[in-house]
Amino acid sequence: MAGGRAVVECAMDSFGRLDFLINNAGGSPPADAATVSPRFSASIIQLNLIAPLWLAQRANAVMQQQASGGVIVNIASVSGVRPSPGT
């Protein structure tokens, strides 16, 4: 999670403020859900849920201190509403 802190710090160092964060990353490699390990599942949850949440928290902490605030946009996968066999 140190990478997320570094991203926010870099933006602040470069621009003096943070106006927006767009979380648009994630994925799931092909795997048989019936047999994957708990560690594999935890990694997917970390990538798709925890990491964007943690980055949004870091960005929000900065934006809350700015008079004009900021905007956080989370883009979710179509897999949330449509099955993706094999992933």
Side-chain angles (χ1 to χ4, degrees):
M1 298 297 182
R5 181 178 293 122
V7 168
V8 171
E9 289 175 0
C10 182
M12 292 301 295
D13 290 346
S14 296
F15 305 108
R17 57 183 296 109
L18 183 61
D19 293 311
F20 60 89
L21 166 68
I22 300 174
N23 274 321
N24 184 34
S28 177
D32 180 10
T35 60
V36 297
S37 70
R39 184 175 178 188
F40 178 88
S41 297
S43 295
I44 298 302
I45 292 169
Q46 175 71 26
L47 173 66
N48 290 290
L49 179 64
I50 305 301
L53 173 63
W54 191 86
L55 186 54
Q57 289 173 330
R58 301 288 68 76
N60 179 63
V62 169
M63 293 173 180
Q64 289 288 326
Q65 301 303 312
Q66 299 175 158
S68 59
V71 175
I72 298 173
V73 177
N74 293 306
I75 300 173
S77 171
V78 68
S79 294
V81 295
R82 185 190 73 207
S84 299
T87 64

